[in-house]
Amino acid sequence: MEYKDIPEKSDNVEVSTFDHEHVLIHQRDIDRRLKVSSDTNTILTLVDGVNTIDEIANKYAIKTGNTVDAKLIHNILYEKLAPHGIIKSEAHDPQKKDYAKYLSLRIQLFKPHHVYKVSGLIRDLFTPRFFYVSLFTMLALIAAVQVYANSFHDFKNAITESFVYLLFIVNVFSLFLHELGHASACRKFGADHGGIGFGFYIFTPVLYADVTDAWKLHRRKRIIIDLAGLYMQATLNSFMLCLYLWLGNPAFLQISFISLFGMLFNLNPLFRRDGYWALSDAMNITNLKSKSTKKIKEALSFIWRRSKNPLQTRLDVFMLIYGVLDWAFIILIVGSILLNNPDSILFYPKNIVVSVQVVVGQEIHSFEELKSLLFPLILPTVFYIILLKYFIAFYKNRNPKPSSHAKV
């Protein structure tokens, strides 16, 4: 069969290197991205609006020394690339991607041009050598002061009305700095960033920054962007500790301690937070969670049905280990709750209402009382987050939508 049709490349298509085997194609008009093999990119470079598909097949054979069927080229262009707006096609009407499907009820708080004015002022903080030296120095300071001070300080009198207000203000400012860090690091390395907004990750309120364009960068630069939020929070945390050391007010130490928990949670690679993105970029694996789950299924199929061995490379082994740890974490959380306090799940809504009433009614007079009220809610909250997460994943698998990338 002859293929005499002449394919045309869409306007405003940008190609960047992803790794030694793949490139990232960005259709900027509708903000769609697609990772393809270097061979597919070679075929795309031969699309000039003049050559037919048969002629492209011949030119590809001359250029690479490998023959390729014209039908395969036709399928690559019109079934793989055209749906993403990379090849012009009357059969496809690509729409702009839905933004980060794991975020819902999104509201943009600061538009890109507003964030752009601020990100330019601090982007040089993310020069690689300065960034890593400063980050590890601040983390060492935070750890040293927390270990030293918590050994003799009594925080029972730290929980006051003014402390709660100060904690809220510092936390909100810390979250904004976190997202500004992602955007500023993105700009430092020549990628575009969007605005900063508010949304819900599962049902947890979060701020987010649009740094999808970072995918075109080398993974070493993407890792700095991933950790940039932690860097900004560590800067604020260090400042709070300096105020504590200067003024001797334990409230600043306590705020630093509470903030430290948030920073550590962000580094947990089993949640889709900064630690997850940094690990994903370090290994250069997109969609790490879904690929790891798929690898577990392939491994079970190999064991039961003697199908093809799924562990062909070190990355395959890594994804299997990550997937097992991810599911083990879920089972551990659920098992701990069911064994230790099953009522905490059954009466979770009631417990939340009671806790809110106690806090609003200002019936908390010490940190110990606050801890005894909130700590029993942590595991049930994680349980319901995980449960809702998989309900949402099940629904989205039945009604799939493409997504882009945001840092929260």
Side-chain angles (χ1 to χ4, degrees):
M1 180 178 178
E2 294 184 343
Y3 288 87
K4 299 298 183 183
D5 49 321
I6 300 175
E8 291 185 63
K9 191 187 306 180
S10 298
D11 301 325
N12 208 8
V13 172
E14 180 185 77
V15 179
S16 55
T17 301
F18 187 82
D19 56 33
H20 66 284
E21 295 179 347
H22 300 90
V23 301
L24 188 72
I25 304 177
H26 183 195
Q27 217 297 12
R28 301 189 68 89
D29 290 333
I30 56 175
D31 199 24
R32 300 291 291 268
R33 290 171 175 80
L34 183 66
K35 187 177 77 170
V36 301
S37 67
S38 299
D39 291 334
T40 297
N41 183 52
T42 301
I43 293 173
L44 184 63
T45 60
L46 298 174
V47 176
D48 55 7
V50 176
N51 292 311
T52 66
I53 289 182
D54 285 333
E55 290 170 337
I56 291 174
N58 292 332
K59 288 179 178 292
Y60 179 87
I62 294 172
K63 186 173 183 177
T64 65
N66 299 317
T67 59
V68 61
D69 187 59
K71 181 180 179 181
L72 177 60
I73 292 180
H74 181 276
N75 291 342
I76 289 173
L77 295 178
Y78 290 104
E79 294 183 12
K80 185 173 185 177
L81 301 183
H84 292 268
I86 299 168
I87 295 295
K88 295 180 180 179
S89 172
E90 295 181 357
H92 298 93
D93 183 24
Q95 303 296 315
K96 188 170 183 177
K97 270 190 153 183
D98 181 34
Y99 184 83
K101 63 183 180 181
Y102 49 87
L103 289 175
S104 58
L105 301 177
R106 302 181 297 271
I107 301 173
Q108 190 174 76
L109 301 178
F110 302 95
K111 294 183 178 180
H113 66 276
H114 293 144
V115 180
Y116 199 82
K117 293 178 182 178
V118 184
S119 64
L121 300 176
I122 61 174
R123 60 182 176 180
D124 289 337
L125 293 175
F126 303 99
T127 302
R129 182 174 297 178
F130 178 81
F131 170 81
Y132 283 114
V133 171
S134 300
L135 177 60
F136 287 114
T137 300
M138 288 187 292
L139 292 178
L141 169 67
I142 293 169
V145 174
Q146 290 292 350
V147 170
Y148 170 74
N150 276 287
S151 63
F152 61 86
H153 262 299
D154 183 5
F155 296 107
K156 288 185 178 181
N157 296 319
I159 307 299
T160 63
E161 185 176 351
S162 59
F163 172 84
V164 173
Y165 289 142
L166 180 61
L167 176 63
F168 176 78
I169 293 171
V170 171
N171 187 54
V172 171
F173 184 58
S174 174
L175 293 176
F176 172 74
L177 283 181
H178 183 106
E179 304 311 326
L180 181 62
H182 291 313
S184 301
C186 193
R187 183 177 176 186
K188 167 65 179 177
F189 298 118
D192 294 329
H193 64 72
I196 293 176
F198 172 84
F200 284 85
Y201 171 49
I202 307 179
F203 62 79
T204 306
V206 295
L207 293 182
Y208 66 86
D210 178 6
V211 292
T212 311
D213 201 44
W215 280 119
K216 71 181 183 182
L217 302 173
H218 190 277
R219 62 178 173 176
R220 286 197 293 268
K221 296 177 180 179
R222 297 202 308 270
I223 291 173
I224 293 179
I225 295 173
D226 297 330
L227 298 177
L230 173 71
Y231 178 88
M232 296 301 290
Q233 285 186 294
T235 302
L236 181 60
N237 200 313
S238 299
F239 176 72
M240 299 301 293
L241 288 177
C242 288
L243 287 178
Y244 160 71
L245 295 173
W246 180 33
L247 301 174
N249 188 338
F252 294 114
L253 178 63
Q254 188 61 18
I255 291 174
S256 170
F257 183 70
I258 295 173
S259 174
L260 182 59
F261 271 100
M263 293 164 60
L264 293 175
F265 175 77
N266 252 322
L267 285 177
N268 185 343
L270 300 179
F271 289 104
R272 203 185 294 266
R273 305 301 289 260
D274 294 348
Y276 168 81
W277 295 117
L279 180 63
S280 177
D281 285 332
M283 304 305 297
N284 225 22
I285 303 174
T286 57
N287 302 316
L288 175 59
K289 277 188 173 291
S290 58
K291 288 182 178 178
S292 296
T293 300
K294 182 180 178 182
K295 191 61 63 176
I296 292 177
K297 294 178 181 178
E298 291 175 352
L300 293 175
S301 178
F302 171 71
I303 294 172
W304 292 338
R305 304 175 185 175
R306 295 300 176 183
S307 57
K308 182 181 176 181
N309 186 352
L311 305 180
Q312 301 293 328
T313 66
R314 292 182 179 179
L315 283 181
D316 291 333
V317 175
F318 169 79
M319 285 188 288
L320 179 63
I321 293 174
Y322 177 87
V324 170
L325 291 176
D326 192 23
W327 279 98
F329 176 73
I330 295 171
I331 294 171
L332 178 63
I333 293 294
V334 175
S336 298
I337 297 172
L338 293 178
L339 290 175
N340 297 322
N341 191 6
D343 289 344
S344 64
I345 292 180
L346 297 176
F347 299 106
Y348 179 74
K350 177 183 176 182
N351 294 338
I352 288 291
V353 172
V354 170
S355 300
V356 172
Q357 289 174 341
V358 170
V359 173
V360 173
Q362 298 182 357
E363 299 177 25
I364 298 294
H365 304 292
S366 70
F367 178 70
E368 290 299 323
E369 291 181 10
L370 182 64
K371 183 171 68 173
S372 63
L373 179 69
L374 297 182
F375 275 29
L377 297 175
I378 293 178
L379 287 181
T381 300
V382 173
F383 168 79
Y384 278 105
I385 288 175
I386 293 172
L387 186 64
L388 186 59
K389 167 187 169 182
Y390 283 98
F391 272 123
I392 293 173
F394 176 75
Y395 172 78
K396 289 187 179 292
N397 286 336
R398 296 181 63 185
N399 303 273
K401 291 181 179 180
S403 69
S404 53
H405 186 42
K407 290 288 189 296
V408 297

